Amino acid sequence: ATFKNVGNHKDLITLTCHAGLVRVPDWDDQGDALLLSHPREKRQDLGVYVSRNEGKSWSHARSIYPGPAGYSDLIVTPKGQVVCLFENGRDNPKERISVARFDHDWLMAGDLNQ
């Protein structure tokens, strides 16, 4: 009931696959950030994107897992570490569930092409 202006964003590859979304309050003393995780290509290459303007634009993408990947979810620890739980495997995205952990500096070192 509270979502407004819903649609696809030109900078994001959208698939019919569950994505993770989390708000990080005052993540780096520059205000809130939204983090989004999802496979970047046909259930391959799980990436994380950053938005600093409530999802109007996305930047600083990094690949978490380059192989087959599926559903993912995100949390942020009290110390600011980002944790991503995601499906992945060698041959298909449903072979195992893994956890990746990263921080602000690692994520912000990327761009949309990484």
Side-chain angles (χ1 to χ4, degrees):
T2 60
F3 287 110
K4 296 179 183 177
N5 302 323
V6 176
N8 292 328
H9 194 282
K10 65 179 178 64
D11 292 336
L12 297 175
I13 300 164
T14 55
L15 304 170
T16 56
C17 189
H18 176 82
L21 180 67
V22 66
R23 176 182 299 279
V24 186
D26 202 27
W27 195 26
D28 56 5
D29 298 324
Q30 296 181 19
D32 292 2
L34 293 178
L35 305 182
L36 174 72
S37 64
H38 68 85
R40 299 184 336 156
E41 183 179 327
K42 297 180 183 177
R43 295 207 180 210
Q44 291 274 120
D45 190 16
L46 185 75
V48 176
Y49 294 83
V50 179
S51 175
R52 301 310 297 258
N53 58 8
E54 299 295 318
K56 293 180 183 91
S57 64
W58 297 86
S59 63
H60 298 92
R62 293 295 300 262
S63 178
I64 293 176
Y65 184 78
Y71 287 16
S72 63
D73 212 345
L74 295 167
I75 65 162
V76 179
T77 71
K79 293 186 177 185
Q81 291 281 308
V82 180
V83 179
C84 182
L85 179 74
F86 63 101
E87 295 178 318
N88 67 93
R90 286 182 52 193
D91 299 317
N92 73 70
K94 296 184 179 184
E95 292 175 359
R96 63 182 173 240
I97 295 175
S98 297
V99 174
R101 185 178 66 192
F102 51 91
D103 62 14
H104 170 272
D105 292 342
W106 178 84
L107 186 54
M108 297 306 284
D111 63 36
L112 284 176
N113 297 318
Q114 290 186 315

